[in-house]
Amino acid sequence: ESYGSSQDPPEESIPLCTLHNFPHKIEHTIQWARDKFEGLFKIAGSEVNSYLTDPQYLDKLKQNPQDEVKTLELLNKSLGSDKPLNFEDCVHWARRLFETEFHNKILQLITALPPDQTDAEGNPFWTGHKRAPSPLNFDAGDPSHIDFVLAAANLRAEMYGLSGCRDNEQVKREAVKANIPEFTPIKGSKVAKNDEEMKSIMDEELKGHDKKVEGLRNSLPLASSLTGYRLSPITFEKDNPNNFHIDFITSCSNLRASNYRIKPANNHQTKQIAGKIIPAIATTTAMVSGLVCLELYKMVQNLPVEAYRNTYANLAIAFISSSEPLPPAKNSVKLKGGKEFSFSLWDRMEVKLGGDATLRQLCDYFEQEHGLEIVMLSYGKALLYSQYGFMAKKKNKVRMKLPMPELAETVGKVKINRDVGFLMFEAMVTTLDGEDVDIPSIRFWL
């Protein structure tokens, strides 16, 4: 078996109502900020690109009515009212984002649930872990406010392919120029006090759904009018100190912490929590390294599985326990001529046709040698071949003639080092009778 054959206990998740309305730990505000990063700079860009490139995108949206309106609103803003033309527009957007998240939404919350709110039994609502928040008023002289605008504006600019700016003074001058609409909280609006109420409110929002969707679809710019236009979705990367990722999450988290009177965290603490970094001390690392080396000695001696050990250790309580590992689970598939092929997660299907063999030759080899038909083939994340409708027959016809290394390079957009000796492919296959079967990865020797 491998390390992946067993599962760690599931991580405790933070209730949605705690994240959205009632945080009381810095971990809650960091997770909230992490989710904001994902939504603003990755999901937004990905959704826009899908709309611009997939003709069936709007039809697919219908399959998830809960998210359809929010996604259409996001598309309208990203390609319409909030689409930046320069870095100054990004600063103005970031300043409005500050107002929305740290002033308006908080003001709306304490309007719906005032600090003196009581529950049905007359007990104070804002008690225990529930802290009544207070809205923040933007102050260009407060470094934490400018840090947020600076990071958010630069990430926005990066997503739209615009030049950024690291000059705090320039950002400060632009931030005060932003047009901030006056906000009036809605009295009588509902606030979810727990996850069940949040689901109920989401269900209520579906009322008038079709009318909202129609209006939003009609206001979208046509994808054909933006031919070639693409955004660059940003994937969170904690280890680059100059990319504004941790800067945004730290400033965003600390501003929300200020709303709720929670002790803020510095960049290092935020990076550790947001990046899910598990601290390890040298003694633990040394012990694990030693245990791994002991197992390697057994492997070199080609000892049976009974000689190996899984080890669990906890130095904090001076506990160590070893157990004999289970053999890897075996799968089997019947090949041509009734031959049975058994394999585990460590096995591969070896193909030795040479580096000049084409995709057509690989497909023919599987049919003639194993009685299996390749219906889909991938290299890493690149889909090289598919019999299904989303890959044009013309494209398949061209690819059939390409040698496998050249095909992987062309489609995967990577440089293949011919000295590695082999390439690894993943395949979906069927028997010649059309029955789906599982096979291990294909090791294609060059």
Side-chain angles (χ1 to χ4, degrees), residues 80-93:
S81 58
D82 285 345
K83 181 183 174 185
L85 300 177
N86 48 47
F87 182 69
E88 289 72 21
D89 288 345
C90 295
V91 174
H92 298 165
W93 171 85

Side-chain angles (χ1 to χ4, degrees), residues 20 22 32 43 129 145 148 204 215 219 262 276 280 320 322 327 360-361 386 394 446:
H20 287 279
F22 313 120
W32 179 85
I43 294 175
H129 285 322
H145 295 195
F148 171 81
E204 282 186 28
S219 59
I262 299 170
K276 297 183 178 179
I320 185 165
S322 296
R360 166 52 63 199
Q361 288 174 302
S386 173
K394 186 177 180 181
L446 300 177

Side-chain angles (χ1 to χ4, degrees), residues 303-430:
L303 296 180
V305 69
E306 294 81 12
Y308 295 84
R309 290 293 179 269
N310 282 335
T311 303
Y312 172 83
N314 187 338
L315 296 185
I317 57 174
F319 176 82
I320 185 165
S321 172
S322 296
S323 62
E324 184 179 315
L326 296 171
K330 288 275 188 179
N331 295 311
S332 62
V333 57
K334 284 194 174 181
L335 302 179
K336 188 176 180 180
K339 179 183 175 185
E340 189 166 296
F341 173 57
S342 295
F343 62 95
S344 72
L345 60 89
W346 302 109
D347 293 312
R348 302 290 180 263
M349 289 202 85
E350 308 290 347
V351 177
K352 299 181 179 180
L353 298 176
D356 294 328
T358 63
L359 175 59
R360 166 52 63 199
Q361 288 174 302
L362 177 66
C363 292
D364 290 344
Y365 169 82
F366 265 81
E367 287 189 25
Q368 296 164 11
E369 188 72 18
H370 303 303
L372 299 174
E373 183 179 8
I374 296 176
V375 295
M376 192 178 291
L377 186 74
S378 62
Y379 176 74
K381 294 181 179 179
L383 182 62
L384 306 182
Y385 168 74
S386 173
Q387 287 188 2
Y388 300 117
F390 50 79
M391 184 170 283
K393 290 183 179 179
K394 186 177 180 181
K395 190 182 290 186
N396 278 342
K397 190 174 180 181
V398 172
R399 292 181 181 182
M400 279 291 184
K401 301 175 182 178
L402 294 177
M404 294 305 296
E406 185 181 337
L407 178 62
E409 283 183 330
T410 304
V411 182
K413 294 180 173 55
V414 292
K415 183 67 178 174
I416 300 295
N417 180 5
R418 304 300 173 104
D419 296 330
V420 296
F422 61 85
L423 299 176
M424 298 298 298
F425 298 106
E426 303 296 329
M428 284 178 59
V429 301
T430 66

